[in-house]
Amino acid sequence: MHAQRKVSSARPYGRQAWRPAPVRARIGLAMRRSMSFGHMGEAEGALRAQGLSLAPMAMSDGPISDGGVMVMPTATVEHLSDGSLKALVVPAGAPEADLDVLRDMVGRAHAAGIPIFAFGEGVAAALKALDRAPAAFTTTPGVMIQGDEVLMLSDVDALTAAAARVG
């Protein structure tokens, strides 16, 4: 064992260690209580692999706690309008008492012409915020809304292709 430690090839890390994709765009993440990506649990990793950095956005004035970890918001609703954020992510989550904030987020993102990614129950919430009928998208794990187009994201490959268009 001691001899293996001295051999450079025995190291688990080195010059060939995994490196994250370089960040090419910053996108907003609407932090919701009990948030998840529904049936597409690997969505966050797929977005990050495409060089999209997730910036947490508060849905309320209270602190954001996710799994016992306090998360500080790094983006605001105004960043959706000023070009700082290149997309908005609406994950599934507990129904919010104040859906006006979500409606405002989705409305600003839509008005700015940036894509809106929604997952799980977030699909219906985002479509309702845009006054669209969510019935046609109840079985899809996710969607990307851009302008009048709603693209169904049935798997991670579809999400990866859609995320590549952001920026």
Side-chain angles (χ1 to χ4, degrees), residues 140-151:
T140 186
V143 297
M144 182 178 101
I145 305 165
Q146 184 153 26
D148 293 331
E149 179 186 6
V150 179
L151 176 66

Side-chain angles (χ1 to χ4, degrees), residues 83-116:
S84 299
L85 299 176
K86 302 299 181 191
L88 174 65
V89 176
V90 180
E96 297 293 328
D98 186 9
L99 288 178
D100 292 337
V101 176
L102 182 61
R103 183 177 291 276
D104 186 34
M105 283 182 181
V106 171
R108 285 185 191 226
H110 188 261
I114 63 174
I116 302 164

Side-chain angles (χ1 to χ4, degrees), residues 20-82:
V23 174
R24 62 181 181 81
R26 187 172 173 236
I27 62 175
L29 173 65
M31 295 290 290
R32 303 176 72 189
R33 283 180 283 135
S34 304
M35 74 174 215
S36 71
F37 289 96
H39 293 293
M40 203 178 303
E42 59 278 358
E44 183 177 358
L47 292 169
R48 289 183 191 275
Q50 288 298 309
L52 303 177
S53 173
L54 299 170
M57 299 174 70
M59 291 289 293
S60 65
D61 292 334
I64 302 169
S65 179
D66 184 31
V69 176
M70 186 68 74
V71 179
M72 299 300 293
T74 60
T76 63
V77 177
E78 289 78 24
H79 289 130
L80 293 167
S81 303
D82 69 9

Side-chain angles (χ1 to χ4, degrees), residues 102-163:
L102 182 61
R103 183 177 291 276
D104 186 34
M105 283 182 181
V106 171
R108 285 185 191 226
H110 188 261
I114 63 174
I116 302 164
F117 292 95
F119 301 95
E121 294 89 15
V123 172
L127 289 170
K128 285 179 185 175
L130 294 172
D131 295 324
R132 296 189 187 175
F137 303 99
T138 56
T139 60
T140 186
V143 297
M144 182 178 101
I145 305 165
Q146 184 153 26
D148 293 331
E149 179 186 6
V150 179
L151 176 66
M152 294 175 69
L153 305 173
S154 57
D155 57 16
V156 176
D157 293 333
L159 173 61
T160 301

